[in-house]
Amino acid sequence: MLMRTDPFRELDRLAQQLMGTGTWSRPAAMAMDAYREGDEYVVAFDLPGVSADAIDIDVERNMLTVKAERRPMAKADDVQMELSERPLGVFSRQIVLADTLDTEHIKADYDAGVLTLRIPIAERAKPRKISIGVGTGHKEISG
């Protein structure tokens, strides 16, 4: 049996339930990091306790949408819940991607509760050298 020592823990849990968890019509936000690594843009989302089949990733034009649902764990009939503080429900995040990113080749990986998206930088957006042509047909006009 668990004993509570913090008298405000229940109030914190209730506030989190009211404001922190989401439904499909009103999802809660998820924490993320975004950075550039070489020729890729990397976005990592914290989704602990979410199974990979409960994650949905969509790209429409330049809008990236990630939705995930943390579902209750299956319990045997004789299990009696003593304390439940981990938020359940729907989490979502939308990001507007720059036109310089190649949204056709996004790679997604989910490991240890972190969803990592790797978005290549489009070839047209990479720095490149411009060669200078030398004219061969110059005529000098005298007058």
Side-chain angles (χ1 to χ4, degrees), residues 90-107:
V90 179
F91 302 86
S92 180
R93 192 76 184 248
Q94 285 190 315
I95 304 170
V96 177
L97 301 176
D99 292 335
T100 57
L101 298 176
D102 183 0
T103 59
E104 297 292 321
H105 297 96
I106 296 175
K107 296 176 197 159

Side-chain angles (χ1 to χ4, degrees), residues 14-142:
L14 289 172
Q16 186 177 21
Q17 280 183 340
L18 292 174
M19 298 172 16
T21 59
T23 62
W24 280 105
S25 62
R26 192 176 190 169
M30 62 185 80
M32 70 172 217
D33 290 333
Y35 53 93
R36 183 174 176 166
E37 186 176 87
D39 287 339
E40 293 181 318
Y41 196 71
V42 181
V43 185
F45 299 92
D46 280 348
L47 294 170
V50 174
S51 63
D53 65 338
I55 300 172
D56 187 34
I57 306 167
D58 290 315
V59 176
E60 186 176 337
R61 292 189 183 180
N62 62 341
M63 178 68 72
L64 172 76
T65 303
V66 177
K67 281 190 179 181
E69 183 177 6
R70 186 177 298 124
R71 300 173 180 138
M73 296 178 69
K75 299 172 197 64
D77 291 337
D78 62 344
V79 172
Q80 182 179 346
M81 182 63 79
E82 293 286 330
L83 179 64
S84 178
E85 293 182 347
R86 298 185 313 155
L88 302 174
V90 179
F91 302 86
S92 180
R93 192 76 184 248
Q94 285 190 315
I95 304 170
V96 177
L97 301 176
D99 292 335
T100 57
L101 298 176
D102 183 0
T103 59
E104 297 292 321
H105 297 96
I106 296 175
K107 296 176 197 159
D109 182 49
Y110 185 63
D111 184 39
V114 178
L115 173 66
T116 303
L117 303 180
R118 295 186 171 278
I119 310 165
I121 295 173
E123 287 296 322
R124 69 181 185 281
K126 293 180 183 175
R128 61 193 177 280
K129 290 280 188 187
I130 306 296
S131 61
I132 301 171
V134 178
T136 56
H138 275 34
K139 283 189 179 177
E140 195 171 300
I141 299 176
S142 57

